[in-house]
Amino acid sequence: MPADRAIDIDELWRVAARKVRASPIPPQDVYVDGLRCLASALETPGRYDEPALRLLQRELFVRILADLSVSRDIAVHPEISDIPVKRPLLVTGFGRTGSTLLHNLLALDPHARAPLLWELWAPSPPPHPDTAAADPRIASAQRRLDAFTAADPQIRSIHPMEARAPDECHWMMRHNALLPMFYQVPEYWEWLKQLSHGDLGELYSHYRLQIQHLQLWIRGDFWTSKSTTHLHFMPVLFDVFPDANIVRLHRDPCHAVPSLCSLVSGYRRLFASQVDQGEIGSTLLDMFVDNMNRSMAAPANKADQIADIRFEDLVADPIAAVRAIYRRFGYPYDETFERAMTHYLERERAAARPRHTYALEQFGLSPGEVTDRCADYLKWLETHSRRPAGVP
């Protein structure tokens, strides 16, 4: 790292490009613009010390290398761009709304193709059925998870993650709302918020291409994945996936926001000795409001392709929620799938996990402030929750 602390995106790109024999010159596009914004925010004095910046520089390098590797695969296998992505089932909602539980259940459907964590962290080359079960990338992902646990044992208790388990598809996205959660980079969040319709479409279209890439050798009847970032891309979601079916999860922001703030604090401590709890609170509350505004503005003519489910209803009867989703969207549902979900839930209930405690005040927030900022959404939610979950 040079004395001026600069994270040189051009140099990181050149090094990564040499490894995959790609052009050493970064393109002038929204992807690279965002990388520069992120790097600049990371090196703001007072946020990260020199060792942490070196780790973060490594994180950026890994992101660039993975993206260039995927591009190389697509050049070798141009048929990737022709792989169909029919009626994908996308789960979204602000963090801590039950999306991990729901996605893990949906992934048990043998007809579905859900991305596994090891695939998301190291997507190139595309997994192959002959080698996927013993792929060395699984062990690599497990070592990274073990490092998470060693740094902060609570992280995986609050948000379970396993190398062979389904995980959030934000790892596939060139830019996403999880980055300003993981790192103290409010400037990057402001950049992400102001992206034009065209920029959002360019980024989200590449996400579709990455879905096709992962399905080169291993496919299902339909793709299913989850991420809070789908909310950010809601203005272009149906442009990129016209026949997508969307499940939006909802939870009182006075509970969802501090719960996610608590989890984010754990992730931040992986890189920073001191964590700005107030910045976490203000950024995540602003993110909640922005996400909900985008969600509420979803096209009215796509209402039949959206199901809204409250956190309380999902937790009370997860299988009933899945049944309602499948019934609403017409995916085939059978007893084999339901038995798999039943067994999964039995194992989860038997697992002893520490209670997750948090409070708004820890993050400089109050119930009144959160309620006021979210007033439009809360009023909208009351209207949309008058019908049973998943019923048109």
Side-chain angles (χ1 to χ4, degrees), residues 150-354:
D152 190 333
Q154 279 195 319
I155 289 179
R156 289 173 67 191
S157 296
I158 298 171
H159 177 68
M161 301 172 71
E162 299 294 339
R164 297 176 186 269
D167 210 271
E168 298 204 27
C169 55
H170 71 81
W171 300 106
M172 302 170 65
M173 299 178 186
R174 283 178 158 178
H175 290 290
N176 61 75
L178 275 293
L179 291 171
M181 294 184 194
F182 290 164
Y183 313 125
Q184 186 180 346
V185 286
E187 299 86 354
Y188 175 81
W189 168 235
E190 292 300 320
W191 174 84
L192 198 64
K193 281 198 301 183
Q194 59 78 43
L195 289 177
S196 68
H197 193 277
D199 288 341
L200 290 172
E202 179 180 335
L203 291 170
Y204 209 54
S205 293
H206 192 270
Y207 163 67
R208 179 190 174 97
L209 190 58
Q210 288 173 298
I211 290 176
Q212 294 171 301
H213 171 265
L214 269 190
Q215 294 189 101
L216 177 60
W217 308 118
I218 302 177
R219 306 180 195 178
D221 292 339
F222 62 94
W223 172 269
T224 182
S225 63
K226 68 105 170 181
S227 175
T228 185
T229 298
H230 291 304
L231 292 174
H232 195 82
F233 287 101
M234 192 65 77
V236 298
L237 190 153
F238 291 108
D239 296 338
V240 177
F241 300 103
D243 61 348
N245 292 312
I246 312 301
V247 179
R248 294 185 299 200
L249 300 176
H250 303 277
R251 188 180 184 185
D252 184 336
C254 286
H255 295 292
V257 171
S259 180
L260 187 56
C261 285
S262 177
L263 178 60
V264 163
S265 294
Y267 280 116
R268 295 271 184 103
R269 284 192 292 270
L270 297 176
F271 297 98
S273 56
Q274 295 187 357
V275 174
D276 188 338
Q277 305 283 58
E279 185 273 326
I280 291 175
S282 61
T283 295
L284 265 63
L285 177 56
D286 188 63
M287 192 176 292
F288 184 95
V289 174
D290 185 77
N291 283 179
M292 295 312 119
N293 286 341
R294 292 168 188 261
S295 180
M296 290 186 291
N301 65 341
K302 293 293 186 177
D304 288 346
Q305 293 171 234
I306 301 174
D308 292 290
I309 298 179
R310 284 181 175 266
F311 175 78
E312 308 90 274
D313 297 330
L314 173 61
V315 172
D317 195 338
I319 292 180
V322 172
R323 284 198 212 102
I325 292 166
Y326 272 54
R327 182 170 59 249
R328 178 178 177 84
F329 298 136
Y331 295 107
Y333 184 94
D334 58 35
E335 289 301 316
T336 301
F337 180 26
E338 178 152 329
R339 281 196 300 272
M341 290 192 290
T342 300
H343 293 155
Y344 174 85
L345 292 171
E346 288 172 350
R347 291 194 302 271
E348 284 296 294
R349 289 167 186 144
R353 291 197 177 93

Side-chain angles (χ1 to χ4, degrees), residues 254 285 360-361 365-375 378:
C254 286
L285 177 56
L360 282 167
E361 291 73 16
L365 302 173
S366 69
E369 178 186 4
V370 172
T371 301
D372 288 346
R373 288 283 305 277
C374 302
L378 292 171

Side-chain angles (χ1 to χ4, degrees), residues 138-150:
I138 299 171
S140 177
Q142 190 58 52
R143 288 192 294 271
R144 186 176 180 186
L145 286 173
D146 292 342
F148 283 1
T149 303

